[in-house]
Amino acid sequence: MRRFLALAFLFPSAALAAQCGTWSASMEDDEGGRVAMASVCIGTEAKRSDLFLRCGGQDLLSLRVMLSADTALDPGDSPEFTTPLRLTVDGQVLDRPSRYEAMDGAMVTEFPMDAKVVGALQSGKVVTLAFPKTAFKPMDFPLKGSRAAIDWLIDACRRE
């Protein structure tokens, strides 16, 4: 353990890479101030993709997908780009509408904190993201640690 901590300080990018694959939750800086967020990532550096959950308003969570630059999802020049998002958690298919937010380069959808999708994300092993009406190749995000991270996020959202 000591060796890993020493390496984490000497090589911070290696420490960050080690965090991909396990969900975490924390307060993060955003253009609107500090926000509660739960997240997981896959890949490294230019090939890194992130999946974020954050407070989305009155009893809502906002799921934000930040894809690596080499993905095949291209919103084109349309600031109004929308497409269905398919979340598959351990074989359970959950379809959601999603929209592109150009400022962050994220695909976004919202749902109630008590929605079926939240329970699936907390109890599953892997979530597969797909945008079926596009050329995007589906990608898998692990759900290791998601229950604790999402529970923390929901508690933080309710305190806001």
Side-chain angles (χ1 to χ4, degrees):
M1 179 68 173
R2 245 186 232 174
R3 181 180 298 167
F4 176 75
L5 289 175
L7 290 172
F9 288 110
L10 291 173
F11 304 102
S13 61
L16 291 175
Q19 292 174 355
C20 270
T22 300
W23 280 74
S24 62
S26 62
M27 295 299 293
E28 300 290 331
D29 289 321
D30 192 36
E31 60 263 359
R34 305 272 295 158
V35 295
M37 195 172 303
S39 63
V40 67
C41 60
I42 57 173
T44 58
E45 298 176 18
K47 295 202 180 266
R48 178 178 163 149
S49 293
D50 295 274
L51 181 61
F52 299 101
L53 275 175
R54 57 191 263 184
C55 305
Q58 187 68 28
D59 293 323
L60 293 176
L61 292 178
S62 176
L63 182 133
R64 308 176 68 75
V65 183
M66 304 280 290
L67 300 169
S68 65
D70 66 339
T71 61
L73 183 64
D74 182 9
D77 294 330
S78 173
E80 308 280 324
F81 179 76
T82 62
T83 187
L85 166 63
R86 175 163 291 157
L87 301 167
T88 306
V89 180
D90 299 343
Q92 180 181 9
V93 176
L94 304 151
D95 287 334
R96 304 285 316 154
S98 70
R99 69 184 180 282
Y100 181 68
E101 290 187 355
M103 177 184 254
D104 297 330
M107 292 302 297
V108 179
T109 189
E110 288 89 20
F111 38 80
M113 291 179 191
D114 60 356
K116 187 177 184 178
V117 66
V118 177
L121 290 171
Q122 289 176 304
S123 62
K125 293 188 181 351
V126 66
V127 59
T128 301
L129 297 177
F131 298 94
K133 294 186 176 184
T134 70
F136 176 78
K137 183 179 176 187
M139 64 175 48
D140 295 334
F141 285 87
L143 292 173
K144 181 180 179 184
S146 63
R147 176 170 298 280
I150 294 171
D151 283 347
W152 180 91
L153 174 65
I154 289 171
D155 187 51
C157 292
R158 288 186 173 143
R159 288 191 310 253
E160 285 186 349

